[in-house]
Amino acid sequence: MTNPAPTGVAELIEWLSGDECHDASGAELLAGLGQRLRALGLPVDRLSLHLRTLHPQILARTFAWTEGEPVELRDRDNSIERLPFFAGNPIRRATEARSWLSLSTPEEIAGLEELDFFQNRNLAVAEVVPLLMGQGPASAVVFATRRPEGFGPDGRALLQRIVPALRGACEIRLLQLAEATLLDTYVGPLTGRRILEGHIRRGDVETLNAALLLCDLRDFTVLSNRLPPEQMLDRLNLYFDQLVPPIAAHGGEVLKFMGDAVLAFFHHQDGPAASCAAAFEAARQALTNIHSVSQAGTPLSAGVALHHGEVAYGNIGSGGRLDFTVIGRDVNLVSRI
């Protein structure tokens, strides 16, 4: 490519740092970047973004763009790390070495094409660029072209100029994603949204009418004394896997894992009858799941208490160490049923 006008590169950097890009989704960011690079004369035929996530099940969120096609999006499950090709994949090599990796031979491109985003694209040259954000795992962007001559010195110089601004745009998205993911993981989506909305002061509570569900594993003390800790944890996780998905599927919010017990509440927009029906169906499905697992050879038994009443939903604690929970007479009652 010919050397692009300095004003064009500056405008691209300004766009990456500006409000329009800040408010764009990940797909919109990638499409906007690809279109602007093409307008500057860079022969980008495949552009992909690989954002490492902080998630218990997802390793990375990946996007891919080609001119004239919709942006593709996939969340990569952690199991991808166990696939044979993953250890030597160019993106992993670049992010672990934390250095720019240029691919220009058929053998090198073949390693990239093991990822679905790059298959059957007839690519000749790719630049794999780690996006370094502190000391944590690096994300990456891949610029690929079908041209055997690649991007040339001018094209590489352009990419080197824009990568810091792209890293900043991606870091904002990763922070937002990590923030929402961690809150969903540890306090639940409804409670997480309330925290992000600013309900974070001690005593900041509201009164709700909700259906309450408390599930308790039977003979937990006996199992704990009989099984090694690793086996006990496996048994607990198996039990929670039968219980939590039905609660979430019926609109419930898990508030607490209390050893072998789970406290959840259901606050349906259609009123108490809908909340109670949802809690009952979640309990019925959970007990069915637990029975199926037990019949399959892992002895599990649980009891469920259901109740509907009024709760105080909000923050309790001391100073800067708070807990978002439900309290009240009806919570005490369900714990004793």
Short mmCIF file of all heavy atoms in Angstrom, two decimals, residues 212-278:
data_model
loop_
_atom_site.label_atom_id
_atom_site.label_comp_id
_atom_site.label_asym_id
_atom_site.label_seq_id
_atom_site.Cartn_x
_atom_site.Cartn_y
_atom_site.Cartn_z
N LEU A 212 -39.86 -17.40 48.30
CA LEU A 212 -38.55 -17.79 48.79
C LEU A 212 -38.37 -19.30 48.65
O LEU A 212 -39.30 -20.07 48.89
CB LEU A 212 -38.39 -17.39 50.26
CG LEU A 212 -38.54 -15.90 50.55
CD1 LEU A 212 -38.62 -15.66 52.05
CD2 LEU A 212 -37.40 -15.10 49.94
N LEU A 213 -37.18 -19.70 48.26
CA LEU A 213 -36.84 -21.12 48.13
C LEU A 213 -35.55 -21.37 48.90
O LEU A 213 -34.55 -20.67 48.69
CB LEU A 213 -36.67 -21.49 46.66
CG LEU A 213 -36.31 -22.94 46.30
CD1 LEU A 213 -36.82 -23.28 44.89
CD2 LEU A 213 -34.79 -23.20 46.35
N LEU A 214 -35.59 -22.37 49.76
CA LEU A 214 -34.39 -22.79 50.48
C LEU A 214 -34.24 -24.30 50.27
O LEU A 214 -35.13 -25.07 50.61
CB LEU A 214 -34.48 -22.48 51.97
CG LEU A 214 -33.26 -22.85 52.81
CD1 LEU A 214 -32.07 -21.97 52.44
CD2 LEU A 214 -33.55 -22.70 54.30
N CYS A 215 -33.13 -24.69 49.68
CA CYS A 215 -32.86 -26.12 49.43
C CYS A 215 -31.65 -26.54 50.24
O CYS A 215 -30.62 -25.85 50.26
CB CYS A 215 -32.62 -26.37 47.95
SG CYS A 215 -32.45 -28.12 47.53
N ASP A 216 -31.78 -27.71 50.89
CA ASP A 216 -30.73 -28.18 51.79
C ASP A 216 -30.40 -29.64 51.45
O ASP A 216 -31.30 -30.47 51.28
CB ASP A 216 -31.23 -28.08 53.24
CG ASP A 216 -30.15 -28.46 54.23
OD1 ASP A 216 -29.16 -27.71 54.33
OD2 ASP A 216 -30.30 -29.50 54.89
N LEU A 217 -29.11 -29.92 51.32
CA LEU A 217 -28.66 -31.29 51.04
C LEU A 217 -28.76 -32.15 52.30
O LEU A 217 -28.27 -31.75 53.36
CB LEU A 217 -27.21 -31.26 50.54
CG LEU A 217 -26.59 -32.59 50.11
CD1 LEU A 217 -27.30 -33.14 48.88
CD2 LEU A 217 -25.09 -32.40 49.82
N ARG A 218 -29.38 -33.30 52.18
CA ARG A 218 -29.52 -34.20 53.33
C ARG A 218 -28.19 -34.91 53.62
O ARG A 218 -27.42 -35.22 52.72
CB ARG A 218 -30.59 -35.25 53.05
CG ARG A 218 -31.97 -34.68 52.77
CD ARG A 218 -32.48 -33.84 53.91
NE ARG A 218 -33.90 -33.55 53.79
CZ ARG A 218 -34.49 -32.48 54.30
NH1 ARG A 218 -33.76 -31.59 54.96
NH2 ARG A 218 -35.78 -32.31 54.17
N ASP A 219 -27.95 -35.15 54.92
CA ASP A 219 -26.79 -35.93 55.39
C ASP A 219 -25.46 -35.30 54.99
O ASP A 219 -24.46 -36.00 54.77
CB ASP A 219 -26.85 -37.37 54.86
CG ASP A 219 -28.10 -38.10 55.33
OD1 ASP A 219 -28.50 -37.90 56.49
OD2 ASP A 219 -28.66 -38.87 54.52
N PHE A 220 -25.43 -33.98 54.92
CA PHE A 220 -24.20 -33.30 54.53
C PHE A 220 -23.08 -33.54 55.55
O PHE A 220 -21.92 -33.78 55.19
CB PHE A 220 -24.46 -31.80 54.39
CG PHE A 220 -23.23 -31.00 54.05
CD1 PHE A 220 -22.60 -31.14 52.82
CD2 PHE A 220 -22.69 -30.10 54.97
CE1 PHE A 220 -21.47 -30.39 52.50
CE2 PHE A 220 -21.57 -29.36 54.66
CZ PHE A 220 -20.96 -29.50 53.42
N THR A 221 -23.41 -33.51 56.83
CA THR A 221 -22.39 -33.73 57.87
C THR A 221 -21.81 -35.13 57.78
O THR A 221 -20.60 -35.32 57.88
CB THR A 221 -23.00 -33.49 59.27
OG1 THR A 221 -23.52 -32.16 59.33
CG2 THR A 221 -21.95 -33.67 60.34
N VAL A 222 -22.67 -36.12 57.54
CA VAL A 222 -22.20 -37.50 57.41
C VAL A 222 -21.27 -37.63 56.21
O VAL A 222 -20.20 -38.24 56.28
CB VAL A 222 -23.40 -38.46 57.28
CG1 VAL A 222 -22.91 -39.88 57.00
CG2 VAL A 222 -24.25 -38.43 58.54
N LEU A 223 -21.68 -37.04 55.08
CA LEU A 223 -20.86 -37.10 53.87
C LEU A 223 -19.52 -36.40 54.08
O LEU A 223 -18.47 -36.88 53.64
CB LEU A 223 -21.60 -36.45 52.70
CG LEU A 223 -22.79 -37.24 52.12
CD1 LEU A 223 -23.54 -36.38 51.11
CD2 LEU A 223 -22.33 -38.53 51.48
N SER A 224 -19.54 -35.26 54.75
CA SER A 224 -18.30 -34.50 54.98
C SER A 224 -17.32 -35.28 55.83
O SER A 224 -16.09 -35.19 55.64
CB SER A 224 -18.63 -33.16 55.67
OG SER A 224 -19.44 -32.37 54.85
N ASN A 225 -17.84 -36.03 56.79
CA ASN A 225 -16.97 -36.83 57.65
C ASN A 225 -16.45 -38.08 56.95
O ASN A 225 -15.38 -38.61 57.30
CB ASN A 225 -17.72 -37.23 58.92
CG ASN A 225 -17.98 -36.05 59.83
OD1 ASN A 225 -17.24 -35.07 59.81
ND2 ASN A 225 -19.04 -36.12 60.62
N ARG A 226 -17.19 -38.57 55.95
CA ARG A 226 -16.84 -39.84 55.32
C ARG A 226 -16.00 -39.66 54.06
O ARG A 226 -15.13 -40.48 53.78
CB ARG A 226 -18.14 -40.59 54.96
CG ARG A 226 -17.90 -41.96 54.33
CD ARG A 226 -19.19 -42.77 54.33
NE ARG A 226 -20.27 -42.09 53.65
CZ ARG A 226 -20.49 -42.15 52.32
NH1 ARG A 226 -19.68 -42.84 51.56
NH2 ARG A 226 -21.51 -41.53 51.78
N LEU A 227 -16.22 -38.58 53.31
CA LEU A 227 -15.55 -38.41 52.02
C LEU A 227 -14.34 -37.48 52.14
O LEU A 227 -14.36 -36.53 52.94
CB LEU A 227 -16.52 -37.82 50.99
CG LEU A 227 -17.73 -38.68 50.60
CD1 LEU A 227 -18.62 -37.90 49.64
CD2 LEU A 227 -17.28 -39.99 49.97
N PRO A 228 -13.28 -37.71 51.35
CA PRO A 228 -12.18 -36.75 51.28
C PRO A 228 -12.69 -35.40 50.76
O PRO A 228 -13.69 -35.35 50.03
CB PRO A 228 -11.21 -37.39 50.27
CG PRO A 228 -11.60 -38.82 50.21
CD PRO A 228 -13.06 -38.88 50.49
N PRO A 229 -12.01 -34.31 51.11
CA PRO A 229 -12.49 -32.98 50.71
C PRO A 229 -12.73 -32.84 49.21
O PRO A 229 -13.73 -32.23 48.79
CB PRO A 229 -11.37 -32.05 51.19
CG PRO A 229 -10.73 -32.77 52.31
CD PRO A 229 -10.81 -34.22 51.97
N GLU A 230 -11.83 -33.39 48.37
CA GLU A 230 -11.99 -33.26 46.92
C GLU A 230 -13.28 -33.94 46.46
O GLU A 230 -14.01 -33.40 45.63
CB GLU A 230 -10.79 -33.85 46.19
CG GLU A 230 -9.47 -33.14 46.45
CD GLU A 230 -8.82 -33.55 47.76
OE1 GLU A 230 -9.37 -34.48 48.42
OE2 GLU A 230 -7.80 -32.94 48.13
N GLN A 231 -13.55 -35.13 46.98
CA GLN A 231 -14.77 -35.84 46.59
C GLN A 231 -16.01 -35.12 47.10
O GLN A 231 -17.05 -35.09 46.43
CB GLN A 231 -14.73 -37.27 47.10
CG GLN A 231 -13.72 -38.16 46.43
CD GLN A 231 -13.81 -39.60 46.89
OE1 GLN A 231 -14.88 -40.07 47.29
NE2 GLN A 231 -12.68 -40.32 46.86
N MET A 232 -15.91 -34.53 48.29
CA MET A 232 -17.05 -33.80 48.83
C MET A 232 -17.36 -32.58 47.98
O MET A 232 -18.53 -32.26 47.72
CB MET A 232 -16.74 -33.39 50.28
CG MET A 232 -17.96 -32.83 51.01
SD MET A 232 -19.28 -34.05 51.19
CE MET A 232 -20.63 -33.23 50.37
N LEU A 233 -16.31 -31.88 47.53
CA LEU A 233 -16.53 -30.72 46.66
C LEU A 233 -17.15 -31.13 45.33
O LEU A 233 -18.05 -30.44 44.81
CB LEU A 233 -15.20 -29.98 46.42
CG LEU A 233 -14.67 -29.19 47.60
CD1 LEU A 233 -13.28 -28.63 47.28
CD2 LEU A 233 -15.61 -28.04 47.96
N ASP A 234 -16.69 -32.24 44.78
CA ASP A 234 -17.29 -32.75 43.54
C ASP A 234 -18.77 -33.07 43.75
O ASP A 234 -19.61 -32.78 42.89
CB ASP A 234 -16.55 -34.00 43.05
CG ASP A 234 -15.17 -33.69 42.51
OD1 ASP A 234 -14.91 -32.50 42.19
OD2 ASP A 234 -14.34 -34.62 42.41
N ARG A 235 -19.09 -33.68 44.89
CA ARG A 235 -20.47 -34.04 45.19
C ARG A 235 -21.33 -32.77 45.34
O ARG A 235 -22.46 -32.71 44.84
CB ARG A 235 -20.51 -34.87 46.48
CG ARG A 235 -21.87 -35.42 46.86
CD ARG A 235 -22.26 -36.61 45.98
NE ARG A 235 -21.33 -37.71 46.09
CZ ARG A 235 -21.48 -38.73 46.94
NH1 ARG A 235 -22.51 -38.77 47.77
NH2 ARG A 235 -20.62 -39.73 46.93
N LEU A 236 -20.78 -31.77 46.03
CA LEU A 236 -21.51 -30.51 46.19
C LEU A 236 -21.77 -29.84 44.85
O LEU A 236 -22.87 -29.35 44.58
CB LEU A 236 -20.72 -29.56 47.10
CG LEU A 236 -21.00 -29.61 48.59
CD1 LEU A 236 -20.08 -28.63 49.31
CD2 LEU A 236 -22.46 -29.30 48.90
N ASN A 237 -20.75 -29.79 44.00
CA ASN A 237 -20.92 -29.14 42.71
C ASN A 237 -21.93 -29.88 41.84
O ASN A 237 -22.71 -29.25 41.10
CB ASN A 237 -19.57 -29.03 41.99
CG ASN A 237 -18.68 -27.97 42.59
OD1 ASN A 237 -19.17 -26.96 43.10
ND2 ASN A 237 -17.38 -28.18 42.54
N LEU A 238 -21.92 -31.21 41.91
CA LEU A 238 -22.91 -31.98 41.18
C LEU A 238 -24.32 -31.64 41.67
O LEU A 238 -25.26 -31.48 40.87
CB LEU A 238 -22.63 -33.48 41.35
CG LEU A 238 -23.61 -34.43 40.68
CD1 LEU A 238 -23.59 -34.26 39.17
CD2 LEU A 238 -23.30 -35.87 41.07
N TYR A 239 -24.47 -31.53 42.97
CA TYR A 239 -25.76 -31.17 43.57
C TYR A 239 -26.20 -29.78 43.13
O TYR A 239 -27.35 -29.57 42.70
CB TYR A 239 -25.61 -31.26 45.09
CG TYR A 239 -26.55 -30.45 45.93
CD1 TYR A 239 -27.92 -30.69 45.94
CD2 TYR A 239 -26.05 -29.44 46.76
CE1 TYR A 239 -28.77 -29.94 46.75
CE2 TYR A 239 -26.88 -28.70 47.57
CZ TYR A 239 -28.24 -28.94 47.56
OH TYR A 239 -29.08 -28.22 48.36
N PHE A 240 -25.28 -28.80 43.17
CA PHE A 240 -25.64 -27.44 42.75
C PHE A 240 -25.99 -27.39 41.26
O PHE A 240 -26.85 -26.60 40.85
CB PHE A 240 -24.49 -26.48 43.05
CG PHE A 240 -24.26 -26.21 44.52
CD1 PHE A 240 -22.97 -26.15 45.04
CD2 PHE A 240 -25.33 -26.03 45.37
CE1 PHE A 240 -22.76 -25.92 46.38
CE2 PHE A 240 -25.12 -25.80 46.73
CZ PHE A 240 -23.84 -25.74 47.24
N ASP A 241 -25.34 -28.24 40.45
CA ASP A 241 -25.65 -28.28 39.02
C ASP A 241 -27.07 -28.74 38.74
O ASP A 241 -27.64 -28.43 37.69
CB ASP A 241 -24.66 -29.20 38.29
CG ASP A 241 -23.33 -28.53 38.00
OD1 ASP A 241 -23.27 -27.28 38.05
OD2 ASP A 241 -22.35 -29.25 37.73
N GLN A 242 -27.65 -29.51 39.66
CA GLN A 242 -29.04 -29.94 39.49
C GLN A 242 -30.02 -28.90 39.99
O GLN A 242 -31.19 -28.90 39.57
CB GLN A 242 -29.29 -31.27 40.25
CG GLN A 242 -28.24 -32.33 40.08
CD GLN A 242 -27.79 -32.52 38.66
OE1 GLN A 242 -28.61 -32.70 37.75
NE2 GLN A 242 -26.47 -32.47 38.45
N LEU A 243 -29.55 -28.03 40.86
CA LEU A 243 -30.44 -27.10 41.56
C LEU A 243 -30.46 -25.70 40.94
O LEU A 243 -31.54 -25.11 40.74
CB LEU A 243 -29.98 -27.02 43.03
CG LEU A 243 -30.65 -26.00 43.94
CD1 LEU A 243 -32.15 -26.27 44.03
CD2 LEU A 243 -30.01 -26.05 45.32
N VAL A 244 -29.31 -25.15 40.63
CA VAL A 244 -29.24 -23.75 40.20
C VAL A 244 -29.86 -23.51 38.83
O VAL A 244 -30.61 -22.54 38.66
CB VAL A 244 -27.77 -23.26 40.26
CG1 VAL A 244 -27.66 -21.85 39.67
CG2 VAL A 244 -27.29 -23.27 41.70
N PRO A 245 -29.59 -24.34 37.80
CA PRO A 245 -30.21 -24.05 36.49
C PRO A 245 -31.73 -23.97 36.51
O PRO A 245 -32.30 -23.06 35.88
CB PRO A 245 -29.69 -25.20 35.62
CG PRO A 245 -28.38 -25.58 36.22
CD PRO A 245 -28.60 -25.45 37.70
N PRO A 246 -32.46 -24.86 37.21
CA PRO A 246 -33.92 -24.68 37.26
C PRO A 246 -34.35 -23.37 37.93
O PRO A 246 -35.34 -22.76 37.52
CB PRO A 246 -34.40 -25.89 38.07
CG PRO A 246 -33.34 -26.91 37.90
CD PRO A 246 -32.05 -26.14 37.83
N ILE A 247 -33.61 -22.94 38.94
CA ILE A 247 -33.94 -21.67 39.59
C ILE A 247 -33.79 -20.53 38.58
O ILE A 247 -34.70 -19.69 38.43
CB ILE A 247 -33.03 -21.43 40.81
CG1 ILE A 247 -33.36 -22.43 41.92
CG2 ILE A 247 -33.17 -20.00 41.33
CD1 ILE A 247 -32.40 -22.40 43.09
N ALA A 248 -32.67 -20.49 37.87
CA ALA A 248 -32.44 -19.44 36.88
C ALA A 248 -33.46 -19.52 35.74
O ALA A 248 -33.96 -18.50 35.27
CB ALA A 248 -31.02 -19.53 36.34
N ALA A 249 -33.77 -20.75 35.29
CA ALA A 249 -34.69 -20.92 34.17
C ALA A 249 -36.09 -20.41 34.48
O ALA A 249 -36.83 -20.01 33.58
CB ALA A 249 -34.75 -22.39 33.77
N HIS A 250 -36.46 -20.40 35.76
CA HIS A 250 -37.79 -19.94 36.14
C HIS A 250 -37.77 -18.53 36.74
O HIS A 250 -38.72 -18.13 37.43
CB HIS A 250 -38.41 -20.93 37.13
CG HIS A 250 -38.81 -22.22 36.50
ND1 HIS A 250 -37.93 -23.28 36.35
CD2 HIS A 250 -39.97 -22.63 35.92
CE1 HIS A 250 -38.54 -24.29 35.73
NE2 HIS A 250 -39.77 -23.93 35.46
N GLY A 251 -36.70 -17.80 36.45
CA GLY A 251 -36.67 -16.39 36.83
C GLY A 251 -36.25 -16.11 38.25
O GLY A 251 -36.43 -15.00 38.75
N GLY A 252 -35.69 -17.11 38.93
CA GLY A 252 -35.25 -16.90 40.31
C GLY A 252 -33.85 -16.34 40.39
O GLY A 252 -33.09 -16.37 39.42
N GLU A 253 -33.52 -15.83 41.55
CA GLU A 253 -32.20 -15.27 41.81
C GLU A 253 -31.60 -16.00 43.00
O GLU A 253 -32.17 -15.99 44.11
CB GLU A 253 -32.31 -13.78 42.12
CG GLU A 253 -30.99 -13.10 42.42
CD GLU A 253 -30.45 -12.33 41.22
OE1 GLU A 253 -30.97 -12.52 40.11
OE2 GLU A 253 -29.52 -11.54 41.41
N VAL A 254 -30.45 -16.66 42.78
CA VAL A 254 -29.74 -17.30 43.88
C VAL A 254 -29.01 -16.22 44.67
O VAL A 254 -28.16 -15.51 44.14
CB VAL A 254 -28.74 -18.34 43.36
CG1 VAL A 254 -27.88 -18.87 44.50
CG2 VAL A 254 -29.48 -19.50 42.69
N LEU A 255 -29.34 -16.12 45.95
CA LEU A 255 -28.71 -15.12 46.80
C LEU A 255 -27.52 -15.67 47.56
O LEU A 255 -26.53 -14.98 47.75
CB LEU A 255 -29.73 -14.57 47.81
CG LEU A 255 -30.64 -13.46 47.32
CD1 LEU A 255 -31.72 -13.20 48.35
CD2 LEU A 255 -29.87 -12.19 47.04
N LYS A 256 -27.62 -16.91 48.01
CA LYS A 256 -26.60 -17.45 48.89
C LYS A 256 -26.33 -18.92 48.61
O LYS A 256 -27.24 -19.70 48.37
CB LYS A 256 -27.03 -17.35 50.37
CG LYS A 256 -27.32 -15.95 50.86
CD LYS A 256 -26.06 -15.14 51.01
CE LYS A 256 -26.38 -13.73 51.45
NZ LYS A 256 -25.20 -12.86 51.32
N PHE A 257 -25.06 -19.29 48.66
CA PHE A 257 -24.64 -20.67 48.85
C PHE A 257 -24.17 -20.76 50.29
O PHE A 257 -23.13 -20.19 50.64
CB PHE A 257 -23.51 -21.05 47.89
CG PHE A 257 -23.92 -21.11 46.45
CD1 PHE A 257 -23.71 -20.04 45.61
CD2 PHE A 257 -24.52 -22.25 45.94
CE1 PHE A 257 -24.08 -20.09 44.27
CE2 PHE A 257 -24.89 -22.32 44.60
CZ PHE A 257 -24.68 -21.24 43.78
N MET A 258 -24.93 -21.43 51.11
CA MET A 258 -24.62 -21.51 52.54
C MET A 258 -24.19 -22.93 52.87
O MET A 258 -25.00 -23.74 53.34
CB MET A 258 -25.84 -21.09 53.36
CG MET A 258 -26.33 -19.69 53.02
SD MET A 258 -27.90 -19.26 53.82
CE MET A 258 -29.03 -20.37 52.98
N GLY A 259 -22.92 -23.24 52.59
CA GLY A 259 -22.46 -24.60 52.75
C GLY A 259 -23.15 -25.50 51.75
O GLY A 259 -22.91 -25.42 50.54
N ASP A 260 -24.06 -26.34 52.22
CA ASP A 260 -24.81 -27.24 51.34
C ASP A 260 -26.20 -26.72 51.02
O ASP A 260 -26.99 -27.43 50.39
CB ASP A 260 -24.92 -28.62 51.99
CG ASP A 260 -25.72 -28.56 53.28
OD1 ASP A 260 -25.48 -27.64 54.08
OD2 ASP A 260 -26.58 -29.43 53.48
N ALA A 261 -26.53 -25.50 51.44
CA ALA A 261 -27.86 -24.95 51.22
C ALA A 261 -27.81 -23.80 50.22
O ALA A 261 -26.79 -23.12 50.07
CB ALA A 261 -28.46 -24.46 52.55
N VAL A 262 -28.95 -23.60 49.55
CA VAL A 262 -29.09 -22.50 48.59
C VAL A 262 -30.34 -21.71 48.95
O VAL A 262 -31.42 -22.29 49.14
CB VAL A 262 -29.21 -23.04 47.15
CG1 VAL A 262 -29.60 -21.92 46.19
CG2 VAL A 262 -27.90 -23.67 46.70
N LEU A 263 -30.18 -20.40 49.02
CA LEU A 263 -31.32 -19.50 49.25
C LEU A 263 -31.56 -18.71 47.97
O LEU A 263 -30.64 -18.09 47.43
CB LEU A 263 -31.04 -18.54 50.41
CG LEU A 263 -32.10 -17.45 50.65
CD1 LEU A 263 -33.43 -18.07 51.07
CD2 LEU A 263 -31.61 -16.45 51.71
N ALA A 264 -32.81 -18.76 47.48
CA ALA A 264 -33.16 -18.05 46.26
C ALA A 264 -34.51 -17.36 46.45
O ALA A 264 -35.30 -17.75 47.31
CB ALA A 264 -33.23 -19.01 45.07
N PHE A 265 -34.74 -16.32 45.63
CA PHE A 265 -36.05 -15.67 45.69
C PHE A 265 -36.59 -15.45 44.28
O PHE A 265 -35.83 -15.37 43.30
CB PHE A 265 -36.01 -14.37 46.49
CG PHE A 265 -35.39 -13.20 45.76
CD1 PHE A 265 -36.19 -12.25 45.13
CD2 PHE A 265 -34.02 -13.04 45.73
CE1 PHE A 265 -35.63 -11.18 44.48
CE2 PHE A 265 -33.44 -11.96 45.08
CZ PHE A 265 -34.25 -11.02 44.45
N PHE A 266 -37.92 -15.35 44.18
CA PHE A 266 -38.62 -15.16 42.91
C PHE A 266 -39.55 -13.96 43.07
O PHE A 266 -40.46 -13.99 43.90
CB PHE A 266 -39.44 -16.40 42.54
CG PHE A 266 -38.61 -17.65 42.34
CD1 PHE A 266 -38.08 -18.33 43.43
CD2 PHE A 266 -38.37 -18.13 41.06
CE1 PHE A 266 -37.33 -19.48 43.25
CE2 PHE A 266 -37.61 -19.29 40.88
CZ PHE A 266 -37.09 -19.96 41.96
N HIS A 267 -39.29 -12.92 42.28
CA HIS A 267 -40.12 -11.71 42.34
C HIS A 267 -40.63 -11.45 40.93
O HIS A 267 -39.99 -10.78 40.13
CB HIS A 267 -39.28 -10.53 42.86
CG HIS A 267 -40.03 -9.23 42.90
ND1 HIS A 267 -41.14 -9.04 43.69
CD2 HIS A 267 -39.83 -8.05 42.25
CE1 HIS A 267 -41.58 -7.81 43.54
NE2 HIS A 267 -40.81 -7.20 42.66
N HIS A 268 -41.78 -12.04 40.61
CA HIS A 268 -42.33 -11.99 39.26
C HIS A 268 -43.14 -10.72 39.06
O HIS A 268 -43.88 -10.29 39.96
CB HIS A 268 -43.21 -13.22 39.01
CG HIS A 268 -43.34 -13.57 37.57
ND1 HIS A 268 -44.10 -12.83 36.69
CD2 HIS A 268 -42.81 -14.59 36.84
CE1 HIS A 268 -44.04 -13.38 35.48
NE2 HIS A 268 -43.27 -14.44 35.55
N GLN A 269 -43.02 -10.12 37.88
CA GLN A 269 -43.76 -8.89 37.59
C GLN A 269 -45.27 -9.11 37.61
O GLN A 269 -46.03 -8.16 37.84
CB GLN A 269 -43.34 -8.33 36.23
CG GLN A 269 -41.92 -7.80 36.18
CD GLN A 269 -41.56 -7.22 34.83
OE1 GLN A 269 -42.25 -7.45 33.84
NE2 GLN A 269 -40.48 -6.46 34.78
N ASP A 270 -45.71 -10.34 37.36
CA ASP A 270 -47.15 -10.61 37.31
C ASP A 270 -47.77 -10.89 38.67
O ASP A 270 -48.95 -11.26 38.75
CB ASP A 270 -47.43 -11.79 36.37
CG ASP A 270 -47.12 -11.45 34.92
OD1 ASP A 270 -47.11 -10.25 34.59
OD2 ASP A 270 -46.86 -12.37 34.13
N GLY A 271 -46.98 -10.73 39.74
CA GLY A 271 -47.54 -10.81 41.07
C GLY A 271 -47.23 -12.08 41.82
O GLY A 271 -46.53 -12.97 41.33
N PRO A 272 -47.78 -12.19 43.05
CA PRO A 272 -47.44 -13.31 43.94
C PRO A 272 -47.75 -14.68 43.37
O PRO A 272 -46.98 -15.62 43.56
CB PRO A 272 -48.28 -13.02 45.19
CG PRO A 272 -48.49 -11.55 45.17
CD PRO A 272 -48.60 -11.18 43.72
N ALA A 273 -48.88 -14.82 42.69
CA ALA A 273 -49.23 -16.15 42.17
C ALA A 273 -48.19 -16.63 41.16
O ALA A 273 -47.79 -17.80 41.18
CB ALA A 273 -50.62 -16.10 41.52
N ALA A 274 -47.74 -15.72 40.29
CA ALA A 274 -46.72 -16.09 39.30
C ALA A 274 -45.39 -16.40 39.98
O ALA A 274 -44.67 -17.32 39.58
CB ALA A 274 -46.55 -14.96 38.28
N SER A 275 -45.06 -15.64 41.02
CA SER A 275 -43.81 -15.88 41.75
C SER A 275 -43.85 -17.25 42.42
O SER A 275 -42.87 -18.02 42.38
CB SER A 275 -43.59 -14.79 42.81
OG SER A 275 -43.45 -13.52 42.21
N CYS A 276 -44.98 -17.58 43.03
CA CYS A 276 -45.10 -18.87 43.72
C CYS A 276 -45.06 -20.02 42.72
O CYS A 276 -44.43 -21.06 42.97
CB CYS A 276 -46.40 -18.91 44.51
SG CYS A 276 -46.40 -17.82 45.96
N ALA A 277 -45.73 -19.85 41.58
CA ALA A 277 -45.72 -20.91 40.56
C ALA A 277 -44.31 -21.15 40.04
O ALA A 277 -43.89 -22.29 39.83
CB ALA A 277 -46.66 -20.53 39.42
N ALA A 278 -43.57 -20.06 39.83
CA ALA A 278 -42.19 -20.20 39.34
C ALA A 278 -41.31 -20.90 40.36
O ALA A 278 -40.51 -21.78 40.01
CB ALA A 278 -41.62 -18.81 39.00
#
